[in-house]
Amino acid sequence: MSAKATQVVDVLIARLNEISTEKGFFTDVPGDVMDDDPALYFDEHTALPCIGIRNLTDRLATQSRGATNQTRTVEIVAYLERSPGVRGRQDELLQDIYRTLFRPESIKFNGLAVEIEAGEAQLDDVELGTKIIPIYLPITLTYNTLNWR
């Protein structure tokens, strides 16, 4: 069995993979969500928009005899193709990401809920003159691990 942090990130990836207009979202994401920054794998065949999650930090918040409270910060990275109306599509994709992450039902493991907190989204151009528009969204996940079997 993989570490709890990996399991939590895998659930986020599964939720992000559900983004499609068929399921009521604004955006169709043609490929699978990557477990890294998609910019590392860009080539002329990369279908846009694309989404990935990269790990930023992992921290042990508190530890007691019965449980460990940890936080992991990841960054959701999404890229869209620059074209007329891209700012509106960027806003729609960001809204789709928020809608899929912050559902009424929480992520739970062994009955313990995972807290999800979004940081400030950055919507800047990767580089002036490029044909790609990014979204960078830091997400902090707080979860507990029971210290007994």
Side-chain angles (χ1 to χ4, degrees), residues 14-15 17-28 99 103:
R15 285 186 175 193
N17 273 319
E18 294 175 8
I19 295 175
S20 74
T21 55
E22 288 179 357
K23 294 184 179 176
F25 292 93
F26 297 116
T27 311
D28 273 318
R99 283 178 53 210
R103 298 177 181 178

Side-chain angles (χ1 to χ4, degrees), residues 19 26-32 34 37-52 77-83 86 89-90 93 126 130-135:
I19 295 175
F26 297 116
T27 311
D28 273 318
V29 179
D32 290 335
M34 297 180 180
D37 186 340
L40 298 172
Y41 307 99
F42 276 155
D43 63 20
E44 66 275 8
H45 305 292
T46 301
L48 297 175
C50 62
I51 301 175
V77 184
Y79 298 100
L80 297 100
E81 186 173 355
R82 183 188 305 271
S83 60
V86 72
R89 288 193 321 278
Q90 186 182 42
L93 180 54
V126 174
T130 64
K131 295 184 179 195
I132 298 170
I133 300 292
I135 296 171

Side-chain angles (χ1 to χ4, degrees), residues 3-96:
K4 191 161 188 178
T6 302
Q7 293 174 32
V8 171
V9 172
D10 287 346
V11 171
L12 292 184
I13 289 172
R15 285 186 175 193
L16 290 168
N17 273 319
E18 294 175 8
I19 295 175
S20 74
T21 55
E22 288 179 357
K23 294 184 179 176
F25 292 93
F26 297 116
T27 311
D28 273 318
V29 179
D32 290 335
V33 173
M34 297 180 180
D35 61 357
D36 207 343
D37 186 340
L40 298 172
Y41 307 99
F42 276 155
D43 63 20
E44 66 275 8
H45 305 292
T46 301
L48 297 175
C50 62
I51 301 175
I53 292 183
R54 62 188 195 103
N55 289 319
L56 295 180
T57 63
D58 192 273
R59 183 171 65 89
L60 178 68
T62 59
Q63 186 168 11
S64 69
R65 182 176 229 159
T68 301
N69 185 312
Q70 289 180 260
T71 63
R72 163 132 332 162
T73 302
V74 298
E75 185 171 57
I76 296 173
V77 184
Y79 298 100
L80 297 100
E81 186 173 355
R82 183 188 305 271
S83 60
V86 72
R87 295 293 175 200
R89 288 193 321 278
Q90 186 182 42
D91 290 341
E92 290 174 347
L93 180 54
L94 182 59
Q95 185 64 33
D96 288 341

